[in-house]
Amino acid sequence: MKAAIYPGSFDPVTYGHLDIVARAADLFDKLYVAVLNNPAKSPLFSVHERIEMLSDAVSHLANVCVESFSGLVVEYARARGAIAIVRGLRAVSDFEAEFKMASMNSHLAPEIETVFMMTVSEYSFVSSSIVKEVASLGGDVRAYVPERVAVRLAERFATGSSGV
Ligand code: ADP
């Protein structure tokens, strides 16, 4: 049984993330989508809210499990018996940070491979941060995130509160 993890902030999940999840779920027997629990990043949505939105969006994929983790990604991968860390690549600008992270992780855990998947062109410009920016200004983001996420964004920006 080949398991992989797909770690990230997912604050909130976008169709770009979901495209990677669906494709990675086809490649591996089991995929753990892992929400990084890092309060230092001051996210808009709490870990609980991010897990809820992700779980809802991947409920049709039987081999995908959504959970949170903290600490080293490679330790989390080992704990799940994963052979790979999945990451998505958009523009060249993603490359440098991803290269550093993958290199460090391969030193820390040589047995775990980082697998990069290219974004599909229609979501190549979609990021959680640009979606939040547009939503905060009252823009329509339903082309980039599931309906329930768009509703949550609208609610959050209407009340002006942020998550922990
Ligand atoms: P992080 O804070 O770890 O970068 P993100 O939630 O922003 O977490 O992204 C998680 C992963 O998903 C990263 O590998 C990122 O490059 C990838 N990703 C984000 N948006 C897209 C997209 N539109 N297409 C493909 N991959 C994406």
Side-chain angles (χ1 to χ4, degrees):
M1 165 128 153
K2 294 191 188 238
I5 63 163
Y6 177 33
S9 307
F10 305 106
D11 185 39
V13 62
T14 69
Y15 283 141
H17 295 129
L18 293 172
D19 169 62
I20 300 288
V21 170
R23 287 156 60 201
D26 268 350
L27 291 178
F28 296 94
D29 300 309
K30 179 97 191 172
L31 181 71
Y32 295 92
V33 179
V35 177
L36 174 63
N37 186 359
N38 180 5
K41 270 194 165 181
S42 52
L44 181 65
F45 293 104
S46 69
V47 168
H48 178 74
E49 289 172 308
R50 284 180 271 159
I51 289 180
E52 220 172 65
M53 288 184 271
L54 264 166
S55 302
D56 186 52
V58 304
S59 60
H60 60 293
L61 299 168
N63 62 337
V64 176
C65 169
V66 181
E67 54 189 21
S68 71
F69 80 103
S70 47
L72 280 178
V73 170
V74 290
E75 288 308 331
Y76 167 69
R78 278 177 173 149
R80 288 288 167 268
I83 58 162
I85 299 168
V86 172
R87 296 288 289 174
L89 278 183
R90 285 160 295 190
V92 179
S93 50
D94 277 344
F95 181 80
E96 198 178 344
E98 292 293 340
F99 178 78
K100 276 191 213 159
M101 211 156 33
S103 304
M104 179 54 82
N105 284 338
S106 86
H107 279 276
L108 294 171
E111 78 281 12
I112 298 173
E113 195 68 57
T114 298
V115 174
F116 292 106
M117 300 185 72
M118 286 290 294
T119 180
V120 282
S121 56
E122 67 231 75
Y123 301 132
S124 61
F125 62 94
V126 176
S127 66
S128 298
S129 45
I130 200 159
V131 163
K132 284 184 279 192
E133 199 175 328
V134 171
S136 75
L137 299 168
D140 185 353
V141 292
R142 282 173 302 175
Y144 318 114
V145 296
E147 178 74 30
R148 286 189 186 183
V149 175
V151 169
R152 291 267 191 130
L153 280 163
E155 284 168 2
R156 185 55 48 94
F157 287 117
T159 58
S161 60
S162 71
V164 187

